[in-house]
Amino acid sequence: MPSPHAFFKGEFVPLENAKISVMTHGFLYGTACFEGIRAYWSEEKRQLLAFRMREHYDRLRNSCKILQISLPYSSEELCNITVEMLRRSGFQQDVYIRPIAYKSSEAIGVTLLGLKDDLVIFAVPFGLYLDISKGLKLKVSSWRHLEDNAIPMRAKINGSYVNAALAKSEAIQCGCDEAIFLTQDGHVSEGSGENIFIVKSGKLITPPVTDDILEGITRASVIEIAKKEFGIETVERRIDRTELYTADECFLCGTAAQVSPVAEIDNRTIGDGKIGPITKKIQDLFFEVVKGKIDRYAGWCTPVY
Ligand code: PMP
């Protein structure tokens, strides 16, 4: 049986003991940034493999820089702490790791300055976030995405996810599975918690990092895998809304979403409404990579035990 532990205020503690006050600044104002990292259990190897953990911690440190949170650990130290937390927890199943660096002072007042900072890391058992076996139904959201001069999406800021929750809930209430955000000037940005790719004439197209997206680690992995394994190029450029409707294929990707094919956007069928052939190739390879089945990607998978 697993015994979930957290790394909390510099120590490993049972998860139920990792508690914060209702007056914590990060809770009062959303002044915190976080990561989501998957670790996959390989029954074959009897091993838990954390996917691209270092890249997640490099991004967390950048988020902290933007939010003026001091995080006194290198990415390597954060990886080691996470491995130790997972070992103490004893998981033998797929898990989702949630590190959060936050303004921890118990204080009223909107600022980033003169406050204490803390870090918590915990993990929970985790299965599918979106159904990846069939195509998803998407809705272009009536909520516009946050932009770099409001709350930057480049930083994975807890408070930003209010924007995501509004869009995702609207999509669900409209009978869809997920929302697509447009930028303030009306170009395709990303999903509520995923990056988006379309396929046109055998090429992948995805919005550039300057269109208010989180610079996704799965996005970067997909671009690399597609090129190296299949010789498929990715073009990073602005995408118009109607290009979504006329795409040959479309998929979302992210740590939680993995590689999730899209069948319908705003009641328009994408391709023939089934999982597209390029999407399927990338999805299949992605799962082999994250489960540690392909040796040349072993560097992306950190063993816990
Ligand atoms: N965009 C947003 C808004 C997200 O929350 C996520 C999930 N972290 C992604 C994209 C995908 O990023 P990653 O592949 O690094 O998980």
Side-chain angles (χ1 to χ4, degrees):
M1 275 297 282
S3 88
H5 275 65
F7 181 75
F8 182 59
K9 301 192 177 196
E11 287 175 31
F12 295 98
V13 297
L15 183 57
E16 67 268 22
N17 294 352
K19 295 261 167 29
I20 57 162
S21 157
V22 292
M23 276 189 61
T24 304
H25 200 272
F27 176 69
L28 294 178
Y29 301 110
T31 45
C33 48
F34 70 102
E35 275 303 319
I37 310 169
R38 268 189 192 261
Y40 291 87
W41 174 248
S42 162
E43 194 52 48
E44 205 180 308
K45 295 183 165 33
R46 308 275 315 149
Q47 184 57 273
L48 189 61
L49 298 166
F51 187 64
R52 305 203 76 175
M53 192 159 52
R54 169 176 268 281
E55 289 82 351
H56 280 281
Y57 282 123
D58 288 345
R59 187 171 66 189
L60 182 68
R61 290 180 334 113
N62 280 336
S63 297
C64 285
K65 194 178 211 177
I66 293 170
L67 222 55
Q68 298 188 267
I69 291 176
S70 79
L71 187 58
Y73 303 102
S74 65
S75 294
E76 194 180 337
E77 287 168 329
L78 291 164
C79 289
N80 293 339
I81 290 167
T82 305
V83 164
E84 181 60 25
M85 179 276 292
L86 290 170
R87 276 191 197 142
R88 289 186 188 220
S89 300
F91 292 116
Q92 297 197 355
Q93 65 207 112
D94 293 352
V95 297
Y96 182 82
I97 304 155
R98 170 57 55 91
I100 309 167
Y102 61 104
K103 293 284 174 195
S104 60
S105 293
E106 295 173 20
I108 305 282
V110 181
T111 180
L112 296 174
L113 308 176
L115 299 167
K116 279 191 299 173
D117 301 317
D118 261 311
L119 169 72
V120 59
I121 309 175
F122 63 92
V124 289
F126 204 62
L128 285 180
Y129 179 69
L130 294 171
D131 187 349
I132 54 170
S133 63
K134 64 166 180 65
L136 301 171
K137 281 172 76 169
L138 306 187
K139 174 178 171 33
V140 172
S141 188
S142 71
W143 297 95
R144 283 296 158 103
H145 209 5
L146 295 170
E147 62 114 4
D148 201 55
N149 293 295
I151 304 182
M153 285 308 301
R154 178 163 292 100
K156 198 165 162 59
I157 297 172
N158 289 53
S160 306
Y161 284 79
V162 172
N163 185 224
L166 286 166
K168 172 95 182 190
S169 305
E170 179 191 64
I172 301 287
Q173 284 170 333
C174 292
C176 293
D177 303 298
E178 188 49 89
I180 294 301
F181 278 118
L182 301 181
T183 59
Q184 293 291 320
D185 66 358
H187 291 90
V188 175
S189 181
E190 61 176 352
S192 69
E194 309 85 14
N195 293 115
I196 186 166
F197 283 78
I198 56 173
V199 179
K200 280 203 190 220
S201 310
K203 279 195 180 147
L204 295 174
I205 310 175
T206 195
V209 296
T210 45
D211 268 343
D212 298 319
I213 64 167
L214 181 74
E215 295 177 21
I217 289 155
T218 319
R219 174 184 181 277
S221 307
V222 163
I223 292 172
E224 192 171 332
I225 290 174
K227 173 86 179 114
K228 277 199 188 144
E229 306 299 324
F230 306 120
I232 300 171
E233 298 287 340
T234 301
V235 183
E236 295 177 61
R237 67 150 174 85
R238 302 205 100 178
I239 299 178
D240 283 340
R241 173 186 190 148
T242 50
E243 287 186 281
L244 296 178
Y245 303 160
T246 58
D248 301 331
E249 302 178 29
C250 178
F251 62 89
L252 299 178
C253 71
T255 297
Q258 307 177 104
V259 175
S260 300
V262 173
E264 200 181 301
I265 306 176
D266 291 349
N267 300 304
R268 276 80 166 180
T269 303
I270 305 306
D272 61 4
K274 304 210 176 72
I275 302 180
I278 292 182
T279 304
K280 180 80 177 108
K281 277 208 283 204
I282 292 172
Q283 189 189 49
D284 287 348
L285 196 79
F286 176 80
F287 281 110
E288 293 201 357
V289 169
V290 297
K291 288 178 182 161
K293 292 188 179 161
I294 304 189
D295 286 346
R296 57 187 177 280
Y297 292 100
W300 286 2
C301 306
T302 307
V304 166
Y305 298 115

